[in-house]
Amino acid sequence: MAAMGRGLVQLAVVGLGLALFFGCLPTVSGWYNHRVHVHVNNILYPGTNMTLHCKSKDDDLGEQIRTFGQDFEWSFGVNFWDTTLFWCNIWWSPSPGRLIEGGFHIYDSKRDIDDCGKMCLRFVKPDGIYFNFPAKGGPTYSELVYPWPTQTDHRQKKLTYR
């Protein structure tokens, strides 16, 4: 009788493990072809280019230049542990000799999986980086998530060469 009780407990543990494993599959991108698409759109000023360099732990997407109204887009699968993170260094020049730059977590699966679903929209504006969010029962809306952290005036830098 004791052996039968142990067998039922083992069966219950295996069943619970399988239920948890398969219950997590829809949120893991490699399964069911779940992919995330990220768009980073330049809406600074007409005639203003932005440069961005995005990467994750595993993928370096290279340096990209986008003119006003253009976006940089890529897609990927969220890893099994739901820890996928892409960050971008973004910079632009509003006037000669002046550089505005910053580094941002542009996609963080723990933060974004529910808000983005399969498509994350990011907008680069003069005051910072905006994310698009779903609104309950209505259209999406954009919100400033990252203001620009630094502004560098390169005209004031004195370089010393040796």
Side-chain angles (χ1 to χ4, degrees):
M1 186 77 157
M4 187 172 163
R6 251 186 312 207
L8 287 174
V9 168
Q10 288 174 339
L11 183 62
V13 169
V14 169
L16 179 61
L18 288 172
L20 287 172
F21 178 75
F22 286 106
C24 293
L25 289 182
T27 64
V28 179
S29 65
W31 303 86
Y32 299 113
N33 293 325
H34 176 94
R35 294 193 61 78
V36 175
H37 301 270
V38 175
H39 295 260
V40 181
N41 195 304
N42 174 0
I43 52 176
L44 290 163
Y45 298 110
T48 302
N49 291 343
M50 73 171 180
T51 305
L52 66 163
H53 187 177
C54 300
K55 60 170 82 175
S56 71
K57 178 182 168 193
D58 301 318
D59 298 302
D60 186 335
L61 305 178
E63 192 171 291
Q64 310 288 323
I65 297 173
R66 294 297 184 263
T67 60
F68 178 76
Q70 287 186 320
D71 74 341
F72 175 55
E73 175 213 344
W74 71 98
S75 63
F76 54 90
V78 176
N79 67 26
F80 181 81
W81 298 273
D82 197 22
T83 57
T84 301
L85 174 67
F86 275 89
W87 62 94
C88 295
N89 292 319
I90 302 172
W91 60 97
W92 60 287
S93 181
S95 61
R98 188 165 167 230
L99 183 68
I100 297 177
E101 58 189 336
F104 313 98
H105 287 179
I106 215 75
Y107 180 85
D108 182 340
S109 60
K110 296 247 189 257
R111 176 193 66 203
D112 297 326
I113 194 107
D114 291 330
D115 288 333
C116 291
K118 293 183 178 185
M119 183 172 303
C120 295
L121 302 175
R122 310 304 191 217
F123 304 101
V124 179
K125 295 184 177 185
D127 58 340
I129 312 301
Y130 285 72
F131 285 20
N132 210 44
F133 293 103
K136 293 182 180 179
T140 60
Y141 66 96
S142 294
E143 185 176 298
L144 177 64
V145 174
Y146 295 119
W148 291 107
T150 61
Q151 295 186 19
T152 306
D153 189 340
H154 290 286
R155 291 174 295 193
Q156 295 177 2
K157 284 190 174 182
K158 294 183 180 177
L159 301 176
T160 305
Y161 297 98
R162 295 182 184 201

